[in-house]
Amino acid sequence: MNKLYGKAELERRISMIKEKVFQSPSKYIQGRDVLKTLYRFSDQMGQTCLLILSKGGAERFRSVLDENEKNAEQSVFHRVVFDGECCMKGIDRLAEEAKKLQCDVIVGIGGGKVLDTAKAVAHFTNLPVIIAPTNAASDAPCSALSVVYKEDGSLDQLLLLKRNPDLVLVDSEIVAKSPAKLLSAGIGDALATYFEMKANWDTDADNFVGARISLAAKAIATQCYETLMEDGRKAFSAVKRGLCTLAVENVIEANILLSGIGFESGGTSAAHSINNGIAELPPTHAHFHGEKVAFALVCQLLLSDEPLELIEEIQAFLHDVDLPITLAELGVTDPTASDLNLIAAIANGDKLIHGMPKRLDEAAIIDAVLAADALGREFLEDC
């Protein structure tokens, strides 16, 4: 029998229901040679643009940017080279440069650290930002987050931004010509999106922005996984040859857009928490974020007690796209008790891991890391 509540009790119960939040960039455009059309969008946003690039990017894209300036009706591009690290000193310098030049648009063109720097500069100057990734190594381009480092390269903070980018402009021809290892790393990061969302969905845990998961975010994370499993191998093979096939287009979208929305609006879980611990081990510093997440995803699947058939399917897929399934492949050939304790302490200290369906502690995390490594070694021995 339905229970009737008084007005005060009903309002109290309603107030306990956390809201759903879905975040995304305002506009996402992907296609061949779209960087040549940058001026169309900068013209719509303002007159004076601060273009942030790496030293290599400034040279590599000189001609296409010259062409944009020639075609622009009002945009003036001030090109600046970022310091090589997304750190507060560099962010402050570029923010002052934007103010001095009276810029009204920030544009970031390049890899993850360039883009995080551009987003942070836009955040502190309250200006719109256009993000143009030149590889698909991560889902960072679409997010309202910048990973800020200290000048020595160690992690400083995760800077939560006021909003997501106003435009993400992805030139798939440029991305397809980037090293295949970068696409592979993006696949590793993106593959975790579905499983981390699912863990949070099953327990009604918070997403990355501290709210409930929407049906839209669930659908996007699911499509991300399905796309990668269908097209990941084909795309990796094509990019090794510098080809931009339909599979490559699909995986670029999965790595950047679907995973970008999926991780913010669907949340992260054990894979990223364990990655945080693995990333503290010095031998892993030479490896991409997505490579560490790929191995950590297998750890999460073991912590969730997923069927062995699924775990083996994921391991086979990761191996086929050149992602690590053992600690040795991440440079940790003989993990010490201290190494394992550090991984577990950092992972267990991340509140997001505790949205998992099963209760976890540091001992369970260590066992999952060792079990994932053992399964990976067995898989490689059988290849």
Side-chain angles (χ1 to χ4, degrees):
M1 184 174 69
N2 291 333
K3 190 172 183 178
L4 296 177
Y5 298 106
K7 181 179 179 181
E9 175 63 12
L10 184 60
E11 288 179 349
R12 185 188 73 82
R13 288 175 176 265
I14 291 174
S15 71
M16 293 171 63
I17 301 174
K18 185 173 287 188
E19 68 279 4
K20 296 181 179 183
V21 174
F22 177 91
Q23 289 193 186
S24 70
S26 297
K27 183 176 287 188
Y28 177 91
I29 298 173
Q30 175 184 320
R32 292 176 185 263
D33 298 324
V34 295
L35 189 59
K36 293 179 180 179
T37 68
L38 171 64
Y39 70 93
R40 296 180 185 175
F41 308 104
S42 59
D43 273 346
Q44 295 170 9
M45 293 184 186
Q47 293 184 328
T48 309
C49 305
L50 188 75
L51 266 65
I52 301 172
L53 308 99
S54 67
K55 184 176 180 180
E59 184 59 36
R60 180 184 176 191
F61 302 115
R62 182 187 302 277
S63 61
V64 71
L65 293 176
D66 286 345
E67 186 178 341
N68 269 282
E69 283 199 282
K70 180 181 177 181
N71 292 328
E73 292 183 4
Q74 65 173 1
S75 295
V76 176
F77 295 154
H78 294 279
R79 305 174 203 184
V80 293
V81 175
F82 97 122
D83 296 334
E85 188 62 82
C86 181
C87 61
M88 286 308 305
K89 180 179 179 181
I91 292 166
D92 290 341
R93 177 181 71 83
L94 292 172
E96 285 303 314
E97 186 75 6
K99 292 174 184 176
K100 183 175 73 174
L101 295 169
Q102 296 184 316
C103 294
D104 40 28
V105 184
I106 305 297
V107 181
I109 303 173
K113 291 191 176 184
V114 174
L115 304 183
D116 276 355
T117 299
K119 289 191 292 182
V121 171
H123 171 81
F124 288 114
T125 56
N126 291 309
L127 293 175
V129 63
I130 298 173
I131 294 297
T134 55
N135 62 61
S138 79
D139 50 23
C142 291
S143 71
L145 173 73
S146 287
V147 182
V148 180
Y149 296 87
K150 297 176 183 176
E151 291 178 62
D152 63 4
S154 60
L155 181 65
D156 182 3
Q157 61 177 303
L158 298 180
L159 178 64
L160 299 179
L161 309 174
K162 297 183 182 81
R163 62 179 188 273
N164 297 72
D166 298 272
L167 169 63
V168 177
L169 189 68
V170 185
D171 193 317
S172 49
E173 185 70 22
I174 291 173
V175 173
K177 295 293 191 292
S178 65
K181 195 68 175 174
L182 295 174
L183 185 80
S184 175
I187 291 173
D189 194 21
L191 192 66
T193 300
Y194 166 74
F195 293 101
E196 293 188 290
M197 177 283 299
K198 183 176 182 297
N200 293 324
W201 178 271
D202 288 346
T203 61
D204 201 24
D206 288 352
N207 62 15
F208 193 79
V209 296
R212 298 179 67 211
I213 301 170
S214 66
L215 291 171
K218 180 185 179 187
I220 287 171
T222 302
Q223 184 63 57
C224 181
Y225 172 66
E226 292 174 354
T227 300
L228 294 174
M229 296 303 289
E230 175 67 25
D231 288 330
R233 291 178 174 91
K234 292 180 288 185
F236 181 65
S237 177
V239 167
K240 284 194 291 186
R241 295 162 178 80
L243 304 175
C244 187
T245 63
L246 179 58
V248 172
E249 291 275 12
N250 290 343
V251 169
I252 290 172
E253 184 178 346
N255 283 10
I256 296 176
L257 180 63
L258 303 184
S259 182
I261 294 174
F263 100 78
E264 274 194 311
S265 297
T268 61
S269 187
H272 271 79
S273 298
I274 293 172
N275 154 78
N276 293 342
I278 293 172
E280 287 299 309
L281 303 183
T284 72
H285 293 175
H287 295 268
F288 294 112
H289 169 74
E291 294 180 292
K292 287 168 270 195
V293 172
F295 175 80
L297 171 59
V298 179
C299 301
Q300 174 172 325
L301 297 176
L302 288 164
L303 288 168
S304 299
D305 198 24
E306 299 289 351
L308 182 60
E309 293 81 4
L310 173 63
I311 296 173
E312 290 175 341
E313 179 185 8
I314 295 298
Q315 283 185 313
F317 174 81
L318 294 174
H319 180 67
D320 286 348
V321 295
D322 198 24
L323 286 167
I325 56 174
T326 66
L327 287 171
E329 291 173 291
L330 288 170
V332 186
T333 54
D334 188 18
T336 64
S338 177
D339 291 335
L340 295 168
N341 287 333
L342 179 62
I343 293 171
I346 292 173
N348 195 53
D350 182 358
K351 68 177 183 179
L352 297 176
I353 198 174
H354 297 292
M356 289 281 287
K358 297 183 183 295
R359 185 174 299 177
L360 301 178
D361 56 23
E362 293 183 21
I365 294 168
I366 290 173
D367 285 348
V369 170
L370 292 174
D373 184 54
L375 282 174
R377 285 186 280 108
E378 289 173 9
F379 179 93
L380 296 179
E381 289 169 3
D382 293 338
C383 286

